[in-house]
Amino acid sequence: MNSSTTKSAVAFHQWLDLFRWCAAMLVLYTHTMNRFLVPLSEATGKRSAFYYAASFMTGFSHQAVMIFFVLSGFLVGGALVKEYRKNGTVDIRMYVVKRLARLWTVLLPALILSFAMNGAAFHFFAPQAEGVYPTNLEDQSDLVSFVCTMVFFHTVACQTFAANGPLWSIFNEFWYYMVWPLLFPILFTRGSIWQSAALALSGILILLSLTYWQFTGSWLAPYMLIWLLGVAAAVIPNPPVRSPGVIGVALALFLLGTRLAVRRTFWEDYPYSELTFDIVLGVLFALLLSAMKECHRLRAPIGGSIHESLAGFSFSLYCIHAPILTFYGVAVAAMWNMHGPIKPVSAVHWLFLLTPVILMIPLAFVFSLGTEQKTHKVRQLLDRIIPKHSSMRGGARNDTITLES
């Protein structure tokens, strides 16, 4: 690998980090403004240009989650294919260990933090909290809901523990991780076609069954298509579009165009159309990743290595921001009698709106020091705990579950 290729590879990983933390920040920003900012369509009187800009930027959180799905398919699903192509086999047990470690290291502390923040709000600011939290919060905060969310059956068998709504996407992510090894053999291995077909059918049945019972979030089965677009971007050697600039402009125009032309009520009136738009977004972003991956003159984004640091706590930011935002709203209402949502007409109002966005960054970083940054230790612990099974491999027994050619 020559120096030019090495520089391009480093630049590409920095772009991946940039996409990760920007997507997390868009979700945080949108959820903050949705809680505390009066929608532009409902505001009366004079509205400043800054108000218009602030409202415009609230329209990209769902798209940010779709970016997460494509990135997940690219990084996780693509890694499984690369492992198979390199070794001729895949260690499924270690794959599961890595995925559980990645999710549980952040998810479980985030659930505990959510419960603590909700409890603190009711303890210190009970009158204000009564009108903010869901009336069935107690039912969502018992041990059954905790275990249900921990094993990734929230949105199917229970509400998300402690009313941490954004965690719906973790349900999708986990089941994409688990189903992918079942779909993988029929696409990439050269083993028994009947065995591969049986595994693929099992995966499809799991997706369809869970989707049938899913009562919130993006439909599991159809949205795996978007996750698989990320896999395709990772494994296809020749990108359909070679210029990252061309496809980047097309993606930006699509995002801006749909934001300007499509109102939120359209998605409510035509729910199936949202999936169509999301698939188009997924295709464009997957094409961008594919082009950037193979571009030997790719330049690093401005900021360079700082994107790795910001991406290093983006998952923590995503998992903990909702309960902290709700606590913030209750506390501000109780102490300063400032109830959201508001129409900002002064610097104090903007300070009220932007403070949680700014404070959430160091809070998420500190949280990540004991969680996300310790993923390797949790992985080692799970590696010791999860038993190693025996499997037949070329006539000899092996202590890992493998997929072979």
Side-chain angles (χ1 to χ4, degrees), residues 78-299:
L80 202 68
V81 178
K82 291 174 183 177
E83 180 184 347
Y84 174 76
R85 287 177 172 175
K86 178 181 179 181
N87 303 324
T89 186
V90 171
D91 187 343
I92 298 299
R93 175 186 168 276
M94 185 51 63
Y95 171 83
V96 173
V97 165
K98 290 178 179 179
R99 303 282 53 84
L100 287 176
R102 172 62 174 163
L103 294 176
W104 275 346
T105 303
V106 178
L107 175 65
L108 299 186
L111 294 178
I112 295 171
L113 177 66
S114 301
F115 181 81
M117 297 300 294
N118 295 350
F122 277 92
H123 179 75
F124 294 108
F125 315 113
Q128 288 76 20
E130 290 289 346
V132 173
Y133 289 92
T135 55
N136 63 338
L137 179 62
E138 187 174 349
D139 295 333
Q140 298 181 44
S141 303
D142 57 12
L143 182 60
V144 173
S145 294
F146 180 86
V147 174
C148 178
T149 305
M150 182 184 77
V151 297
F152 309 101
F153 278 105
H154 58 296
T155 80
V156 168
C158 64
Q159 298 279 354
T160 304
F161 180 75
N164 192 334
L167 297 185
W168 69 263
S169 65
I170 307 302
F171 163 81
N172 288 54
E173 282 285 348
F174 172 78
W175 288 106
Y176 296 156
Y177 294 162
M178 295 301 104
V179 168
W180 174 232
L182 300 176
L183 304 180
F184 170 84
I186 201 168
L187 297 173
F188 294 99
T189 69
R190 297 185 299 274
S192 167
I193 185 65
W194 296 109
Q195 184 182 35
S196 297
L199 289 173
L201 180 60
S202 300
I204 292 170
L205 288 175
I206 290 172
L207 286 173
L208 294 177
S209 299
L210 291 171
T211 303
Y212 177 79
W213 293 106
Q214 192 177 2
F215 55 81
T216 190
S218 295
W219 300 311
L220 183 68
Y223 275 82
M224 191 169 187
L225 294 173
I226 293 174
W227 195 88
L228 291 173
L229 287 170
V231 178
V235 302
I236 293 175
N238 299 314
V241 180
R242 291 193 169 274
S243 171
V246 170
I247 196 64
V249 169
L251 175 61
L253 290 175
F254 176 78
L255 288 170
L256 293 174
T258 53
R259 178 69 181 110
L260 290 170
V262 182
R263 299 281 74 108
R264 294 185 183 185
T265 54
F266 178 83
W267 307 122
E268 298 170 2
D269 296 336
Y270 305 97
Y272 292 98
S273 63
E274 186 171 46
L275 175 60
T276 303
F277 277 83
D278 290 341
I279 290 175
V280 174
L281 169 62
V283 168
L284 290 172
F285 187 61
L287 288 173
L288 177 63
L289 293 181
S290 178
M292 295 176 74
K293 174 173 65 78
E294 299 298 329
C295 180
H296 299 302
R297 296 186 188 136
L298 186 67
R299 294 183 179 181

Side-chain angles (χ1 to χ4, degrees), residues 23-24 26-32 34-35 61-62 64-66 68-69 103 107 110-111 114 118 140 149 154-155 159-173 214 216-218 314-326 360:
L26 278 173
V27 172
L28 165 63
Y29 175 83
T30 299
H31 288 173
T32 302
N34 285 348
R35 279 171 167 80
S61 65
H62 178 79
V65 176
M66 297 305 105
F68 277 134
F69 284 169
L103 294 176
L107 175 65
L111 294 178
S114 301
N118 295 350
Q140 298 181 44
T149 305
H154 58 296
T155 80
Q159 298 279 354
T160 304
F161 180 75
N164 192 334
L167 297 185
W168 69 263
S169 65
I170 307 302
F171 163 81
N172 288 54
E173 282 285 348
Q214 192 177 2
T216 190
S218 295
S314 60
F315 186 35
S316 297
L317 179 68
Y318 183 85
C319 288
I320 70 170
H321 74 275
I324 295 177
L325 284 178
T326 307
M360 201 69 67

Side-chain angles (χ1 to χ4, degrees), residues 7-54:
K7 288 181 180 179
S8 296
V10 171
F12 179 57
H13 283 92
Q14 291 175 351
W15 277 106
L16 292 178
D17 289 331
L18 172 66
F19 295 143
R20 285 170 57 200
W21 76 257
C22 283
M25 283 299 299
L26 278 173
V27 172
L28 165 63
Y29 175 83
T30 299
H31 288 173
T32 302
M33 296 302 155
N34 285 348
R35 279 171 167 80
F36 305 127
L37 180 68
V38 171
L40 196 62
S41 59
E42 299 176 12
T44 58
K46 186 178 180 180
R47 292 167 289 188
S48 66
F50 195 68
Y51 191 1
Y52 275 97

